[in-house]
Amino acid sequence: MKLLRVGSVGAERPALLDESGTLRDLSEIVPDIDGDLLGNAALLDRVRRAAADGALPALPRAAADAGTTGAGAEPESLRIGPPVARIGKIVCIGLNYHDHARETGAAVPEEPIVFLKAPDTVVGPHDTVLIPRGSTKTDWEVELAVVIGRTARYLETEEEALAAVAGYTVANDVSEREFQIERGGQWDKGKNCETFSPLGPWLVTADEVPDPQALPLRLWVNGQVRQDGSTADQIFSVAHVVRYLSRFVTLRPGDVVCTGTPAGVAMGMAEPKPYLRDGDVVELEVAGLGRQRQVLKSA
């Protein structure tokens, strides 16, 4: 299933994109797409049955496109919001692609590099992204995001880890490199600025993604391809990452794990590095998981 949330900021309602591309309203079946739904197999089965029956009311087709709607869109435009509500935590993996480690001159890590992003950095896939005041090095990162569907703690096997995954979506791990690297302390200052976690458009349930290590990822800036990679190049697989994290943090339904970015970020390019500026347009996609589009604006 492709699950999503549509509507104005703070008033999104649950929806489903069916096999014909029709957007269907789920609000009479479930209150939202969140950890309560994703951790409830019986309720998910009810959604599947309703979708198969074809009885769910249709919503305007424009909502599924929504490529030009932003955070200020009117309710009737059915802006696409983040596909998961009330995210408990966002756990991110740094330097998780061989080619990205090479382009930044970093050694391949022996264990996953872990950092956190605050849930209030999350915006919809087509919402405006704000360049922080004083920023000169705002960067892009297309990523495969994993959404957890059952409590994961001290997992023993990678099979258990994949069984804990509810589904997958697209993330842009927007980063300010000066704040992240040159200002001392941990990476968090460069990762947690307002709007720095566009997510969506859909949550694709895990049964529709047979191999999370075979997903092409691409990103464009102002129409120019900047990243073109595959999750096959990950240093630590999705299963490894989820199992590893469960040793240190308890992952709960609705939590999000961002699994790293391939080569092609501005930080890894020759001078002058093409960091993002006011008015730039970033587009990104993960095969089968949908596409995002953001216009950058100064905060």
Side-chain angles (χ1 to χ4, degrees):
M1 293 186 295
K2 292 182 174 68
L3 303 174
L4 64 161
R5 301 170 63 249
V6 295
S8 59
V9 177
E12 295 93 345
R13 53 180 165 173
L16 177 147
L17 192 65
D18 70 17
E19 294 182 357
S20 71
T22 300
L23 195 66
R24 301 286 181 179
D25 191 354
L26 291 177
S27 57
E28 293 185 4
I29 298 177
V30 295
D32 213 336
I33 310 297
D34 57 11
D36 290 341
L37 169 63
L38 300 175
N40 188 327
L43 195 52
L44 281 170
D45 284 343
R46 183 182 175 192
V47 172
R48 287 190 178 92
R49 289 195 300 271
D53 291 344
L56 293 170
L59 291 168
R61 176 66 183 132
D65 300 328
T68 58
T69 62
E74 295 300 319
E76 60 267 27
S77 71
L78 289 178
R79 157 193 169 267
I80 299 179
V84 184
R86 289 173 289 282
I87 297 168
K89 55 185 168 290
I90 306 169
V91 187
C92 303
I93 307 300
L95 288 174
N96 195 30
Y97 282 73
H98 292 280
D99 60 1
H100 180 47
R102 286 194 298 270
E103 75 170 345
T104 59
V108 173
E110 295 182 4
E111 295 191 38
I113 296 171
V114 180
F115 62 93
L116 299 176
K117 296 190 86 164
D120 65 6
T121 63
V122 173
V123 294
H126 310 306
D127 288 348
T128 299
V129 168
L130 298 175
I131 297 174
R133 294 180 184 180
S135 167
T136 60
K137 296 182 178 180
T138 295
D139 207 346
W140 57 82
E141 293 189 10
V142 59
E143 304 205 5
L144 171 67
V146 175
V147 182
I148 301 300
R150 66 177 69 170
T151 300
R153 57 191 299 273
Y154 300 112
L155 299 177
E156 295 290 339
T157 67
E158 294 192 352
E159 290 74 19
E160 287 180 308
L162 289 179
V165 174
Y168 302 90
T169 190
V170 184
N172 186 357
D173 177 19
V174 186
S175 308
E176 213 296 340
R177 303 303 189 185
E178 180 191 3
F179 298 176
Q180 176 188 352
I181 298 168
E182 301 173 30
R183 300 292 296 271
Q186 299 184 358
W187 287 7
D188 291 3
K189 292 194 295 291
K191 294 287 188 175
N192 282 278
C193 302
E194 184 181 10
T195 73
F196 265 26
S197 300
L199 200 65
W202 320 304
L203 186 159
V204 179
T205 51
D207 58 297
E208 294 195 10
V209 184
D211 184 0
Q213 303 312 134
L215 299 175
L217 309 85
R218 300 186 79 190
L219 181 143
W220 299 256
V221 179
N222 300 326
Q224 182 176 357
V225 175
R226 292 298 192 183
Q227 292 183 276
D228 188 358
S230 169
T231 55
D233 191 49
Q234 286 185 339
I235 298 166
F236 304 106
S237 68
V238 168
H240 182 97
V241 163
V242 173
R243 177 175 176 268
Y244 178 88
L245 290 175
S246 77
R247 298 172 54 192
F248 303 99
V249 298
T250 301
L251 299 172
R252 304 187 188 280
D255 286 351
V256 174
V257 178
C258 292
T259 61
T261 198
V265 298
M267 180 176 64
M269 296 182 183
E271 298 288 353
K273 300 180 189 296
Y275 288 113
L276 294 168
R277 298 289 183 264
D278 189 303
D280 284 347
V281 177
V282 176
E283 299 171 273
L284 56 149
E285 67 180 11
V286 179
L289 304 185
R291 188 178 178 106
Q292 299 185 0
R293 181 183 186 274
Q294 297 110 34
V295 178
L296 279 290
K297 179 180 177 182
S298 296

